[in-house]
């Protein structure tokens, strides 16, 4: 008979716990804190739960709900658009639900979930994303099964009204993203315009600290802004690395020393890029590695651009 320790049980379930917490909180750091707190409660429990998965899933969900309730006030006071912290790799893998998991962790989906109450969000994530039973959910959120079913209906109604859609063919999606980043590096306005949807939007999350908080709409304006904003980064040694971000095509921009300047995600549908999101708020990038001095990078970029324009 093999004896499995609590620590081993926890480590096996850790990817699932993080996946739940991140989808509830939209923050890598807060999700990691919630998972760690769940471990402390599990390790300190005087009795061995019948199901470690049920105990830990319920614990991390309750912790996340409490954090989410306190975070709502901060997010309402946030300057400019609020985006989740970018996630490069989802540690939880389930081949049978890979598409649902990828879509549920996208920027668009997580932003949409912000419209739900903490309880609605928890019920929706546990039911729709991770296929928990209503009995398990009821025990987790400490409501009746009937109440949980009603919360699920309400959440689904809100989500379905604006549910994000993505390119079904991942290969076509990734190829289009590759052409977009090639055109972006070259400042190819015409090439960019061919890849953008008519109502494309470019949105920046800089928390009022970095860059504009006003979105840019339309093919011509977005292509122009991109073509004059991104190529100068190459002049100062910065690098744009294509990378999957939150389960969708994206990129990381690094300064010449390899430090993170920003993270990008693309929403692609019907062979066109619908939305481009840029996260520049340094507070949301630290989990990806050392963060660049964004103001210094921007100053240097502007100087390089002015120098290039000087006859």
């Amino acid at each position: 008979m093999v004896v499995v320790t609590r620590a081993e049980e926890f480590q096996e379930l850790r990817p699932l716990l993080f996946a739940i917490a991140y989808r509830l909180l939209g923050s890598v750091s807060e999700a990691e804190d919630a998972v760690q707190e769940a471990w402390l409660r599990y390790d300190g429990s005087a009795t061995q739960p019948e199901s470690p998965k049920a105990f830990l899933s319920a614990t991390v969900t309750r912790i996340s709900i409490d954090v989410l309730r306190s975070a709502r006030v901060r997010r309402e006071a946030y300057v400019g658009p609020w985006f989740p912290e970018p996630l490069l790799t989802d540690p939880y893998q389930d081949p049978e639900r890979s598409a649902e998991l990828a879509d549920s962790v996208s920027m668009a989906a997580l932003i949409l979930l912000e419209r739900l109450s903490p309880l609605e969000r928890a019920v929706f994530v546990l039911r729709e994303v991770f296929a928990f039973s209503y009995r398990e959910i009821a025990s987790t959120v400490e409501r009746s099964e009937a109440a949980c079913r009603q919360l699920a209906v309400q959440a689904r109604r809100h989500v379905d009204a604006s549910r994000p859609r993505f390119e079904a063919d991942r290969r076509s999606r990734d190829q289009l993203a590759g052409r977009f980043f090639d055109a972006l590096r070259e400042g190819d306005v015409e090439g960019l315009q061919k890849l953008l949807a008519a109502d494309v939007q470019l949105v920046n999350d800089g928390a009022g600290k970095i860059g504009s908080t006003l979105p840019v709409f339309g093919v011509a304006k977005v292509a122009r802004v991109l073509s004059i904003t991104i190529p100068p980064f190459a002049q100062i040694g910065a690098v744009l690395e294509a990378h999957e971000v939150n389960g969708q095509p994206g990129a990381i921009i690094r300064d010449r020393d390899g430090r993170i300047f920003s993270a990008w995600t693309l929403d692609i549908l019907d062979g066109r890029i619908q939305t481009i999101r840029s996260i520049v708020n340094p507070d949301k990038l630290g989990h990806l590695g050392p963060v660049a001095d964004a103001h210094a990078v921007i100053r240097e970029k502007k100087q390089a651009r002015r120098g290039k324009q000087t006859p």
Side-chain angles (χ1 to χ4, degrees):
M1 181 177 180
V2 178
V3 178
V4 180
T5 67
R6 286 193 177 189
E8 290 170 332
E9 289 173 331
F10 173 76
Q11 288 302 326
E12 183 177 346
L13 292 166
R14 189 178 192 118
L16 170 63
L17 302 178
F18 176 85
I20 292 172
Y22 177 75
R23 285 163 174 80
L24 291 179
L25 298 171
S27 165
V28 172
S29 54
E30 289 178 346
E32 289 174 341
D33 288 345
V35 171
Q36 183 62 24
E37 177 62 24
W39 158 248
L40 293 175
R41 296 187 188 184
Y42 181 46
D43 188 46
S45 176
T47 59
Q48 175 64 24
E50 182 178 338
S51 169
K53 176 183 177 183
F55 178 89
L56 285 164
S57 298
T59 301
V60 81
T61 298
R62 291 170 190 155
I63 293 169
S64 298
I65 289 173
D66 289 341
V67 174
L68 193 57
R69 284 170 173 156
S70 66
R72 290 178 77 85
V73 175
R74 298 198 309 270
R75 292 179 187 178
E76 287 171 0
Y78 197 84
V79 178
W82 179 92
F83 297 158
E85 291 181 5
L87 184 68
L88 300 189
T89 304
D90 188 350
Y92 180 69
Q93 303 294 326
D94 182 347
E96 294 184 359
R97 300 181 62 82
S98 59
E100 294 95 324
L101 288 169
D103 287 354
S104 70
V105 83
S106 70
M107 287 283 173
L110 294 175
I111 292 169
L112 179 57
L113 291 182
E114 283 290 301
R115 304 178 189 178
L116 305 180
S117 72
L119 273 181
E120 287 175 335
R121 187 166 181 167
V123 171
F124 182 86
V125 167
L126 292 176
R127 180 64 182 173
E128 300 294 325
V129 180
F130 296 101
F132 278 59
S133 70
Y134 280 112
R135 177 180 295 180
E136 292 171 314
I137 296 171
S139 175
T140 295
V141 302
E142 300 175 319
R143 296 291 191 276
S144 68
E145 288 188 46
C148 289
R149 290 180 185 276
Q150 183 60 34
L151 285 166
V153 169
Q154 292 169 192
R156 201 176 298 116
R157 184 183 304 126
H158 288 306
V159 171
D160 286 346
S162 305
R163 185 184 293 272
R165 296 170 55 228
F166 304 106
E167 190 71 49
D169 187 334
R170 294 178 66 87
R171 182 177 179 182
S172 298
R173 180 199 72 178
D174 293 343
Q175 289 176 343
L176 188 147
R179 295 198 300 273
F180 169 78
F181 288 124
D182 286 343
L184 190 58
R185 294 184 186 96
E186 297 167 5
D188 180 359
V189 177
E190 185 177 346
L192 289 169
Q193 289 179 335
K194 292 178 180 178
L195 302 172
L196 302 176
D199 56 350
V200 64
Q201 56 178 318
L202 171 64
V203 194
N204 177 63
D205 177 351
K209 304 173 185 178
I210 310 293
S212 173
T213 60
L214 298 176
V216 180
F217 297 94
V219 173
K221 289 183 179 180
V222 169
R224 174 170 170 74
V225 168
L226 291 174
S227 67
I228 64 176
T229 301
I230 300 305
F233 277 110
Q235 296 176 246
I236 60 171
V239 177
L240 186 153
E241 300 175 350
H243 204 297
E244 185 170 271
V245 180
N246 285 75
Q248 303 297 322
I252 299 294
I253 295 181
R254 300 178 184 272
D255 70 7
R256 65 162 62 90
D257 297 316
R259 295 172 297 189
I260 309 291
F261 173 78
S262 66
W264 289 45
T265 64
L266 308 178
D267 290 354
I268 298 175
L269 180 66
D270 298 330
R272 292 289 185 275
I273 295 171
Q274 310 288 327
T275 305
I276 305 164
R277 296 183 180 87
S278 170
I279 302 170
V280 192
N281 180 357
D283 296 337
K284 294 186 176 183
L285 300 173
H287 62 284
L288 301 178
V291 179
D293 181 339
H295 291 290
V297 171
I298 290 173
R299 282 197 302 271
E300 188 177 359
K301 185 195 76 169
K302 288 180 177 178
Q303 291 170 356
R305 186 179 168 207
R306 284 197 296 267
K308 186 175 182 180
Q309 291 175 339
T310 302

